[in-house]
Amino acid sequence: MPDIASIGKIIENDVQLVYEVISGNVKTLLYNLQVRDPAKITTENENLVVTKCNIFDKEDLKPHVEKADVVMSCLGFALAWSEPVPFYREVATNISDVMKEFGKRRVIFMHSWYTNRDDWKKAGFIMRNVFLRLVIGQVLAGMKLSEEYLQTTDHLDYTCVLPAGLTNEPVTDKLISTCDTESQVPGCPSRICRADVARYMLDVIDDETSFKKIRAIGVDGPQQ
């Protein structure tokens, strides 16, 4: 039963990871949620420890990473318009450096479909030219820089999980399809619930076939 350190802010994705642990869907010994304002997390459970952490400060990260068997990040940052969002790589570098110091290897990041710009041509016209290009393009570019950095490391068993567009529906038992050669999953719907993403991230903690992979995920179903 692994100790999990989730590095992030208080957003829906972190909450889903917490829910999957404390609901009994995942057996784990301890779940640490490092957040900027612990008072905003009101859930109490013996499997949940909430602490405040500055994700940009390596010294602040150290005590949390030292106690963890696996580190997860569901971080999201504000949109940018003129250059790639730098914080994804900055946080990945900080986590990597601290994990190396303590001999920790397993880390899982949540990014998004289409971090590889070459795959944009597979999206629909409006998705490609409005949403990807004008709205979240620089967020995706920042995630890509983080992925490229992780690929240069030799001390991490990383997985970057790239889900389709996120929704807030309850967890399902649908089969989750994956793709390691594209930053989207051909034939899968363009939406997936956060709870299923959390389910997948927790399921692959010990799956060595997911180590050192940039892996897109989607649920089986009709294309949307």
Side-chain angles (χ1 to χ4, degrees):
M1 295 188 293
D3 289 2
I4 303 171
S6 176
I7 310 297
K9 300 183 290 185
I10 302 172
I11 56 177
E12 292 91 340
N13 307 315
D14 297 307
V15 172
Q16 286 298 336
L17 276 170
V18 170
Y19 175 78
E20 287 298 303
V21 171
I22 67 177
S23 68
N25 293 334
V26 175
K27 295 184 183 299
T28 187
L29 181 63
L30 175 66
Y31 189 97
N32 288 310
L33 182 66
Q34 279 79 54
V35 299
R36 293 178 180 176
D37 186 0
K40 292 183 178 180
I41 296 290
T42 58
T43 301
E44 294 184 2
N45 187 277
E46 62 181 3
N47 286 339
L48 176 65
V49 177
V50 183
T51 57
K52 186 174 182 178
C53 177
N54 180 355
I55 56 179
F56 299 107
D57 185 337
K58 293 180 186 180
E59 292 301 316
D60 213 14
L61 278 173
K62 284 182 179 180
H64 309 296
V65 172
E66 183 180 15
K67 293 181 291 185
D69 298 309
V70 56
V71 176
M72 292 188 174
S73 173
C74 292
L75 281 168
F77 295 102
L79 300 177
W81 309 109
S82 60
E83 60 184 9
V85 176
F87 306 119
Y88 292 99
R89 173 164 179 165
E90 182 177 348
V91 172
T93 302
N94 287 349
I95 291 173
S96 171
D97 289 347
V98 174
M99 291 183 71
K100 185 174 184 178
E101 179 175 340
F102 292 111
K104 308 291 184 173
R105 297 192 62 89
R106 189 68 174 122
V107 60
I108 303 174
F109 292 89
M110 190 196 77
H111 285 169
S112 173
W113 273 18
Y114 296 117
T115 55
N116 186 347
R117 194 180 180 96
D118 291 340
D119 292 329
W120 289 15
K121 61 181 179 292
K122 299 164 188 173
F125 179 84
I126 293 177
M127 169 69 81
R128 179 176 66 254
N129 292 292
V130 178
F131 189 65
L132 296 180
R133 190 179 304 278
L134 299 179
V135 180
I136 67 167
Q138 299 297 355
V139 170
L140 297 174
M143 292 175 175
K144 181 65 173 176
L145 291 175
S146 172
E147 293 167 9
E148 291 174 344
Y149 164 73
L150 290 168
Q151 289 174 315
T152 69
T153 65
D154 58 8
H155 63 281
L156 294 178
D157 293 326
Y158 65 84
T159 305
C160 291
V161 176
L162 282 51
L166 299 172
T167 70
N168 292 319
E169 278 77 21
V171 67
T172 76
D173 59 359
K174 293 180 179 179
L175 176 67
I176 294 181
S177 296
T178 66
C179 182
D180 296 339
T181 59
E182 301 179 27
S183 61
Q184 50 97 39
V185 185
C188 278
S190 59
R191 309 291 284 174
I192 185 173
C193 67
R194 288 180 168 86
D196 280 347
V197 178
R199 171 168 65 92
Y200 179 80
M201 292 174 69
L202 292 165
D203 282 348
V204 300
I205 287 175
D206 296 320
D207 180 4
E208 294 185 8
T209 66
S210 71
F211 290 4
K212 301 187 185 300
K213 294 292 177 62
I214 311 297
R215 174 167 289 177
I217 67 170
V219 293
D220 282 359
Q223 185 63 266
Q224 298 175 347

